Amino acid sequence: MTPPDLPRQFTIREGELRILNPFDDVKLATLGRAIRLRPGDELLDLCSGKGELLCTWARDHGITGTGVDIGTAFIAAARERATALGVADRVRFVHGDAAAYTPARPVDVAACVGATWIGGGVPGTLELLDRALRPGGMALVGEPYWRRDPPGEEAVTGSHARSRDEFTDLPGLVESFGGCGWDLVELVLADQDSWDRYAAAHWLNLRRWLDANPDDELAPELRRELTEDPLRYVRFQREYLGWGVFALLRR
């Protein structure tokens, strides 16, 4: 059975972005160095997006790996990026359900960066990653947290959270890793500038698409999003929501 695809809104919103999280290329490179990747390490990236993590780390560190994503446009972009960077012989990208994917053999690093919904949250996603890891392998999890306690429901929904309890603060998130039986061994956190670069790029992508597709059935919805999201972002999400990637080793 062919897996479902992402709604078109996702691919329109992400546009020309290569990193589909509030990380810039400097932070992504910092993370690759921080976890001390070695040539020949094998990675599995669940919900790999446009493959920037795998492709740049293959180029910079000599790793190999597989990315899995449900978005056909993202998979196509990842394969193009691998070819452009000269690493198509070292990384591959699979269109499929990341939560159901099983690697052919255990990997050195298993990642789910910004998509822990595939496991119903951090604990379930860590179980998915653990099943793919060799003994002593490393899990990478990208997850939001509250930078500041949201003062009310408007701040919660304005930060694109379903409820205040959907996320915890940073100490609570770190504590939860230990509760799941993992040691936190590295972290790289987004900052407000990397949030800006991610969020604001969406607005330009939306505006360019709207200019080119004024009669598309999605135009009213995306016009409303472009009208409302910048103010919501600067008022709430930028101030209250943090995000980071956390490197974990099973105890």
Side-chain angles (χ1 to χ4, degrees), residues 24 65 70 74 85 92 103 108 111 141 147 173 187 194 197 210 225 229-230:
D24 56 26
I70 204 170
F74 293 168
L85 295 185
R92 70 187 189 104
D108 301 292
V141 173
R147 290 181 62 242
L173 180 57
L187 58 80
S194 58
R197 299 281 44 79
L210 286 165
E225 179 178 335
D229 196 63

Side-chain angles (χ1 to χ4, degrees), residues 21 111-116 122 129 140-144 173 177 243-246:
N21 288 299
C112 180
V113 177
T116 58
V122 169
L129 298 177
L140 297 178
V141 173
E143 182 72 359
L173 180 57
F177 297 143
W243 191 87
V245 182
F246 304 87

Side-chain angles (χ1 to χ4, degrees), residues 177-190:
F177 297 143
C180 292
W182 297 77
D183 287 325
L184 177 64
V185 295
E186 260 295 357
L187 58 80
V188 178
L189 303 181

